[in-house]
Amino acid sequence: MGALPVYRWRLAPDGYATRRQLRALGLRPGGQDVAAEVQRPRKRRDPLVAYLYRVDLAKPVRSMTPGRRAALEAAMAARRTCPNCRTDAGYCIPRSLGMCVPCSDLDIESAA
């Protein structure tokens, strides 16, 4: 592959989009190579780089199958379940705590 075209921040031509922009349009890169890049200069550091894909070659996002949906729900339930009290916390357990906030508070009080 030859050198990629490089555009300045916010100056890329129409017809190119980042992965996030494609996703917002309901599209995915679909196996195509990076078509260009956008660089945002920064002081005293390397520029920020975003890769661009051609919108006309993008494919629609695959629909969620029942199996994938079940797997995703199981994974999210595991992230919400406290390993200490075995209850659904209603939010994703912080990895820094390793347990729900009430259990963490009890653990801190018992250590003091």
Side-chain angles (χ1 to χ4, degrees):
M1 186 166 114
L4 292 175
V6 178
Y7 300 103
R8 302 259 314 167
W9 194 252
R10 298 185 186 265
L11 296 178
D14 291 337
Y16 290 103
T18 63
R19 283 181 178 268
R20 281 191 183 189
Q21 291 169 335
L22 287 176
R23 190 62 154 186
L25 297 171
L27 301 171
R28 61 185 170 95
Q32 65 174 299
D33 290 332
V34 174
E37 65 180 46
V38 175
Q39 291 186 352
R40 179 179 175 198
R42 300 190 294 178
K43 293 181 182 179
R44 294 185 292 271
R45 291 194 285 182
D46 291 335
L48 290 174
V49 176
Y51 297 111
L52 300 174
Y53 300 91
R54 290 182 43 188
V55 176
D56 60 336
L57 298 178
K59 296 181 180 177
V61 174
R62 295 181 187 134
S63 60
M64 186 72 77
T65 64
R68 280 187 174 173
R69 187 174 307 282
L72 181 61
E73 287 173 3
M76 292 306 293
R79 290 182 65 189
R80 288 190 314 264
T81 303
C82 176
N84 223 17
C85 61
R86 303 274 187 228
T87 59
D88 186 344
Y91 53 87
C92 289
I93 304 294
R95 291 178 59 189
S96 59
L97 297 178
M99 59 186 84
C100 65
V101 175
C103 288
S104 173
D105 290 343
L106 290 176
D107 192 40
I108 291 172
E109 289 174 5
S110 64

